[in-house]
Amino acid sequence: MATCGHPKNTSFCGEDSTPVTGRRRAAHSLKWMTMTGLFLRAALSALLIAPLGAGVALATEMPEASSSGSYLAGRSAAKLRDNDLASDYLSNALKLDQGNPLLTEKIFLLDLSEGDMEGAEKLAAEVLAFNSQQRMARIVLGLKEFRARRYAEARKNLSEAAYTPVGELTSYLLIAWAHAGEGELNAALKALDRLDSNESFANFKTFHSALIADYLGNAIRAEASYRKAYEEAGTSLRVVQAYGNFLERNGRAAEAQKVYRAFLDNDENPLVLAALDASLKGVKPQPFITSPGRGASEALFSLASSMTDEQSIDVALLYTRLALSFDADKPVLATLLGDIYEDMKRYDKAIAAYEQVPADSPLRTNAEMETAVSLQRLERKDEALTKLKDLIARQPTNYDAIVTLGNIYRNNEDYANAAKVYDDAIALIKEPVQGHWRVYYYDGIAHERLKQWDVAEKRFRRALELAPEEASVLNYLGYSMIEKKINLAEAMEMVKKAVELKPNDGYIIDSLGWAYYQLGDYEQAVTNIERAGELLPADPTIAEH
């Protein structure tokens, strides 16, 4: 997704070249933001399993020649993350080469990625027969025992997966919940103590200590851990939800409402909005965790939502599928599943996941907006527009849906409708805050494309008032003024500042080069355009420059 360098680089020209929802992606706001450090992501991708489309983890025996065609087709499909097609091809290859370790392990992972838990469990036992150290197979069988409430057997398998730091993190969170299933608080907390070996795991330990103590009815220990988790991770959606839930159930609704409002000051998350609304109406919530299975699912969700980069996204998919194997928080997990598929560019799968979000869930509106975005990416443009128009007809003051509709019009280069829709969104804003800079920026782009410069400039400058350090706005406004040969000194300073803010953004550096060219400084123009070409050698617009 290429960022927008200057006004002529892309028809979308927002923060990226694809339509986005008005609010931050739901997945982003569902993330445990304090647990997404580089260590965790790198370790999960490098130590847990290889990506589904990558090479072999431990099994290395190649298929027989008779099955090589299906194997190669399956491997190609896996590289494209078409996991269901890959599974079909590789299953056919396995029929011709029964017992092949490589094929068995790959099909196991593919079945798991597609949510075929029965197939994955069957193959997990076969995988362990030739590779007793396959961590994901151990986890799958451990969770099978967990769901059957055979907690001691579950712990045996999970313990076998507890090698390497990330293996310990995954296993001991789940082992702790297995002890909770037997009502053993001390044993559960002792299992969580094993996470003290790595400070990166501290927030996981604190939060799940609170959840387990709460589930087992030890309010004093639960409150101490919740308070610590909130102090250290107050921007975490799940910490806020669980802590507020605990406070409400213990007769402290006013304190819970304060926690909710503090979170909403920075993120109008629909789940927290719903919790605050229910609290104000005096509706007492059900416990955040109602069973050991839901606790295990929450642990898996915590891990999956921490994996946000390209290298670990395949693992996030597996963990999300495992979390969904429990009777857990389906709206949240279906949303995360949809977001993962969007990141994988499997938009058909994303749509299917978002459709699983129940109609009465606070996340349903977000699911419909994300479905529209995925339809747009599939070039099903009329369906995308219809989806959003239907949503807005039901919710005429839904700012996020209106902005998303404007983004899709702009992506379609329908700037007249985009400008009208953005203007409608801006009319809903009573007191602009920093986060509103985007709609003013997007509206400015639409009006600039319509050659309505007076309106466009006002929108760009309003965006800068709200977010003076936004490189995309500085770049667009500065370059546009240079093209129009107005306010040249100010314009040049804007583009230079944009480059300072994003020194490795090839598109913005290309804009600076063209700005110098417009001003007749050809030496600086060449220097910057060549630098942009080095950063983005495959971009045709920069190559043309």
Side-chain angles (χ1 to χ4, degrees):
M1 289 184 273
T3 52
C4 184
H6 59 70
K8 309 307 178 190
N9 271 343
T10 170
S11 63
F12 187 60
C13 239
E15 288 189 287
D16 58 45
S17 61
T18 54
V20 292
T21 50
R23 180 184 289 121
R24 295 180 304 165
R25 288 269 309 282
H28 177 74
S29 58
L30 292 176
K31 303 293 187 208
W32 184 303
M33 285 176 272
T34 60
M35 299 194 294
T36 56
L38 291 176
F39 168 80
L40 182 58
R41 291 200 299 271
L44 282 165
S45 61
L47 298 177
L48 194 58
I49 61 167
L52 301 184
V56 187
L58 291 174
T60 57
E61 185 180 340
M62 294 296 293
E64 295 290 340
S66 60
S67 65
S68 60
S70 293
Y71 169 74
L72 293 173
R75 184 176 179 183
S76 178
K79 285 182 178 179
L80 296 173
R81 292 195 166 111
D82 192 345
N83 293 337
D84 44 2
L85 182 61
S87 183
D88 289 343
Y89 276 123
L90 294 177
S91 295
N92 185 59
L94 186 60
K95 290 177 183 177
L96 300 172
D97 189 8
Q98 294 185 13
N100 183 282
L102 169 62
L103 292 173
T104 302
E105 185 169 339
K106 281 188 173 291
I107 296 169
F108 158 67
L109 294 173
L110 289 167
D111 282 355
L112 182 55
S113 75
E114 290 299 302
D116 181 0
M117 208 57 57
E118 183 178 351
E121 289 170 354
K122 178 181 177 182
L123 288 174
E126 296 181 28
V127 169
L128 291 175
F130 57 77
N131 179 5
S132 62
Q133 296 298 301
Q134 218 290 352
R135 186 179 292 108
M136 188 57 69
R138 288 289 182 191
I139 292 171
V140 165
L141 292 183
L143 292 179
K144 178 183 179 181
E145 300 294 344
F146 195 116
R147 286 191 295 276
R149 300 184 181 182
R150 294 189 288 266
Y151 297 118
E153 292 301 314
R155 289 194 294 270
K156 289 179 182 178
N157 271 300
L158 294 169
S159 295
E160 291 292 327
Y163 60 92
T164 75
V166 172
E168 291 180 356
L169 173 61
T170 304
S171 296
Y172 288 119
L173 285 175
L174 296 173
I175 287 170
W177 278 106
H179 284 298
E182 296 174 331
E184 297 292 337
L185 176 60
N186 289 336
L189 297 178
K190 186 176 180 181
L192 291 175
D193 284 342
R194 299 290 294 269
L195 301 180
D196 290 340
S197 60
N198 194 305
E199 63 181 14
S200 299
F201 302 155
N203 287 334
F204 287 94
K205 175 187 174 180
T206 302
F207 184 49
H208 284 272
S209 294
L211 294 177
I212 289 173
D214 189 5
Y215 169 69
L216 293 176
N218 191 321
I220 294 175
R221 187 180 288 271
E223 180 171 6
S225 294
Y226 275 132
R227 189 183 303 115
K228 182 179 179 182
Y230 183 67
E231 289 171 355
E232 296 178 352
T235 59
S236 163
L237 169 65
R238 302 304 268 179
V239 169
V240 167
Q241 285 184 279
Y243 186 32
N245 177 287
F246 171 82
L247 291 170
E248 288 192 74
R249 287 184 289 107
N250 285 274
R252 296 155 64 182
E255 291 179 58
Q257 292 161 17
K258 184 177 179 181
V259 169
Y260 297 146
R261 287 193 174 99
F263 184 88
L264 291 170
D265 284 343
N266 298 302
D267 184 350
E268 293 187 2
N269 186 281
L271 294 171
V272 181
L273 282 168
L276 176 60
D277 182 62
S279 181
L280 291 171
K281 292 178 180 177
V283 179
K284 188 175 181 179
Q286 293 296 312
F288 190 71
I289 299 295
T290 56
S291 70
R294 283 180 173 254
S297 180
E298 184 66 28
L300 292 162
F301 170 80
S302 297
L303 291 162
S305 60
S306 296
M307 305 177 218
T308 58
D309 63 357
E310 177 69 16
Q311 291 183 323
S312 60
I313 196 71
D314 295 280
V315 185
L317 175 60
L318 300 183
Y319 271 43
T320 304
R321 288 296 192 184
L322 288 170
L324 280 163
S325 71
F326 290 91
D327 178 22
D329 196 341
K330 186 174 182 179
V332 168
L333 290 170
T335 298
L336 179 59
L337 182 63
D339 292 342
I340 288 170
Y341 276 126
E342 276 197 330
D343 289 342
M344 289 180 162
K345 297 181 172 55
R346 289 303 313 276
Y347 304 119
D348 54 336
K349 293 280 189 180
I351 292 170
Y354 292 132
E355 287 176 348
Q356 295 179 38
V357 178
D360 60 351
S361 168
L363 291 174
R364 180 64 190 184
T365 295
N366 172 81
E368 292 189 34
M369 289 191 291
E370 292 295 345
T371 295
V373 171
S374 289
L375 288 168
Q376 176 74 5
R377 286 165 170 159
L378 290 169
E379 297 294 321
R380 294 160 61 180
K381 298 180 180 182
D382 290 342
E383 292 177 70
L385 291 170
T386 298
K387 171 71 71 173
L388 284 170
K389 288 178 181 178
D390 288 348
L391 174 59
I392 293 168
R394 300 194 308 272
Q395 303 177 23
T397 60
N398 188 321
Y399 169 86
D400 296 317
I402 294 169
V403 173
T404 303
L405 179 61
N407 289 344
I408 288 181
Y409 275 130
R410 184 160 52 93
N411 186 239
N412 294 341
E413 300 186 37
D414 184 350
Y415 300 114
N417 273 316
K420 180 182 182 303
V421 169
Y422 288 138
D423 289 342
D424 290 343
I426 288 171
L428 292 173
I429 301 173
K430 295 179 180 179
E431 295 183 13
V433 295
Q434 184 178 16
H436 290 125
W437 72 266
R438 288 182 177 85
V439 70
Y440 287 98
Y441 172 48
Y442 297 158
D443 197 29
I445 293 170
H447 283 288
E448 186 271 337
R449 292 303 178 89
L450 294 170
K451 302 187 185 306
Q452 299 170 354
W453 176 247
D454 289 346
V455 178
E457 183 180 7
K458 289 178 182 178
R459 295 306 199 204
F460 290 138
R461 291 192 181 278
R462 186 66 173 119
L464 281 179
E465 289 174 8
L466 296 171
E469 299 296 306
E470 283 298 331
S472 53
V473 186
L474 289 163
N475 178 60
Y476 202 116
L477 176 57
Y479 185 86
S480 296
M481 290 194 297
I482 289 170
E483 271 201 326
K484 297 176 185 301
K485 295 181 171 54
I486 57 176
N487 306 324
L488 293 180
E490 179 192 21
M492 197 65 184
E493 288 304 311
M494 285 183 176
V495 179
K496 287 180 179 178
K497 184 176 180 181
V499 172
E500 290 176 4
L501 291 167
K502 291 191 174 181
N504 294 316
D505 189 312
Y507 293 105
I508 292 179
I509 293 171
D510 182 58
S511 289
L512 180 60
W514 269 94
Y516 277 121
Y517 180 84
Q518 294 275 3
L519 297 174
D521 189 340
Y522 302 122
E523 183 177 348
Q524 285 289 345
V526 170
T527 298
N528 282 280
I529 291 173
E530 287 181 345
R531 168 66 174 151
E534 292 172 1
L535 291 168
L536 295 166
D539 186 89
T541 303
I542 292 176
E544 180 184 348
H545 293 167

